[in-house]
Each structure stands twice: as C-alpha cells, then as structure tokens.
Amino acid sequence: MDTEALAERLPARAAWEENGTALLPGVLAPDRFQALAEESRGRLELVTPHVHDHTSSHRDGSFASPVHCGFVPPGPVLEALAYDKALLARLREATGIARLVPRGGAVVLYREGDFQGIHTDSVKSTVTVGIALTEDLPAMGWAPHLRNAHPDFLGEVVAKHGIFPEGDGFTTLAHPYGDGSVRAFAGYHVPHWRPRLTLPMGLLVTMSFMDL
C-alpha cells in the first residue's frame, strides 16, 4: 500500500481501534433484507443447538461463558451477502483493515429465555457483522473497556459480576432493524453478551471477517 493510501486509512483504523464498532448505512436494500429474513425463517428446522453451562478459554485466545441458543446454517441469500464484494469494501473502508477477508455467516436463533453469556468470538472474527431480523431485538451487552482482556481475567469478571455484567464500563450495543444498515464490531477483541430473551423468538444474522 502506498503512503497516500495508508494515510487515508489511518483515521478509520484509529476510530475502529478506539470504538471497536461501526454502523454502515445503506448496505442492505429492502428487497435483500426481506429475502434474508424469509430465507432464515424458512430454515429454522435446520437449527443446531449451541448449549454449554461453563466458562472456558479456547486455544485461539477467545473466551466463552454459559450459552443457550441455536445456529441456523446459511442459505444462498446469506452466503451471497457474507461474500459480497461491495460489503467487504465498505467494511475495509470503515475499519481501515485493508486485508480483511470474509469467513462466512450463520443465523443465531434465540427462543424465549435463551441467552449468550459474556464471551469473545473466534479469532476468525476480527470484525463481526450483526443484522437483526427480529424487530425490537434487545441490545447486546458490550464491554469496550475490556478490549483484548486475557481470558483468565474474563473468568474473574464472570466470578465477580456474573455472565451478564452490569455497572461501570459495561454498556449495550444495538443492532439496526430494517433500515438498510448493518452493525460491525470487534467480536474477537471486545467481550459482549446477550441477556435472556423476553420475546417469543429472536433472529440475528452474524458474519465473520478476519484480518490476514
């Protein structure tokens, strides 16, 4: 990358490093969002339960705490979006990460009472993109002050604050619904969680992008 191009990317990269999240407007046309929602609801019988009741540190440096939800494999509409060149270009521009590459996606299914405790995503998720397919899906928990925290320290956080921590530094991050925008966040680097769902059902598209 030449010096001029690098200089143009620095502000975006600095903002991404500071905030750990970016909202990208105008990414999803209404018909594409509708097709994504219809496809996801039509594949619910393919759900694989994602359930465990313990905290764990993974070899890739990610961290997990208790979770109860399900994952629906992607259909053609989601596959096309996950590897969409225009979306990838927008993500590279918004984050300043020039070597970002797509790693695929899935739909997370939450039934009433389902949750994900505080965790970090796989190392393959330098950037995670979330799209709410359910109106009024509650915001996820977000701990930017714990960016790059060691998994052992996150275990101490769970011991002290529980899997849905509250208090100083712990906040929320909402996913847009039906307005054409998508939420990108530093899934591997910033701990996040989703409290128990109080709606009958919630659907969230999640896509992973990795910095090579």
Side-chain angles (χ1 to χ4, degrees), residues 5 20 24 32 37 62 89 103 108 122 138 145 151 160 196-197 205 208:
L24 281 62
R32 196 172 197 182
S62 61
R103 301 293 300 181
V108 188
S122 158
H145 66 298
K160 182 177 181 179
R196 296 183 188 277
L197 187 70
V205 167
S208 298

Side-chain angles (χ1 to χ4, degrees), residues 12 28 34 47 91 96 98 109 121 124 147 167 190 196:
L28 281 177
Q34 187 63 33
V47 65
L91 288 169
L109 169 64
D121 296 339
K124 297 177 181 179
R147 186 182 185 117
V190 179
R196 296 183 188 277

Side-chain angles (χ1 to χ4, degrees), residues 10-98:
L10 282 177
R13 187 60 179 263
W16 176 257
E17 293 296 333
E18 180 178 354
N19 301 320
T21 183
L23 191 64
L24 281 62
V27 171
L28 281 177
D31 58 344
R32 196 172 197 182
F33 175 81
Q34 187 63 33
L36 186 60
E38 291 177 357
E39 176 182 81
S40 299
R41 290 187 174 91
R43 296 173 62 84
L44 296 184
E45 74 278 2
L46 302 177
V47 65
T48 298
H50 180 49
V51 179
H52 65 79
D53 59 3
H54 57 279
T55 59
S56 58
S57 300
H58 300 148
R59 293 181 64 183
D60 67 354
S62 61
F63 173 82
S65 65
V67 57
H68 196 292
C69 63
F71 284 93
V72 180
V77 177
L78 178 49
E79 284 279 5
L81 179 61
Y83 292 92
D84 186 271
K85 292 182 179 179
L87 173 59
L88 180 60
R90 291 286 301 276
L91 288 169
R92 287 173 172 174
E93 179 183 12
T95 63
I97 304 175

Side-chain angles (χ1 to χ4, degrees), residues 104-183:
V107 178
V108 188
L109 169 64
Y110 297 94
R111 303 285 189 186
E112 186 172 4
D114 281 355
F115 63 92
Q116 286 202 57
I118 186 171
H119 65 282
T120 54
D121 296 339
S122 158
V123 70
K124 297 177 181 179
S125 293
T126 306
V127 176
T128 302
V129 171
I131 306 169
L133 298 182
T134 303
E135 193 171 10
D136 299 324
L137 185 71
M140 71 180 189
W142 181 244
H145 66 298
L146 296 180
R147 186 182 185 117
N148 296 324
H150 192 279
D152 290 347
F153 182 77
L154 294 180
E156 295 175 9
V157 170
V158 170
K160 182 177 181 179
H161 297 281
I163 63 173
F164 310 130
E166 296 180 345
D168 291 344
F170 300 110
T171 183
T172 59
L173 195 64
H175 297 291
Y177 172 80
D179 65 357
S181 62
V182 301
R183 168 74 66 186

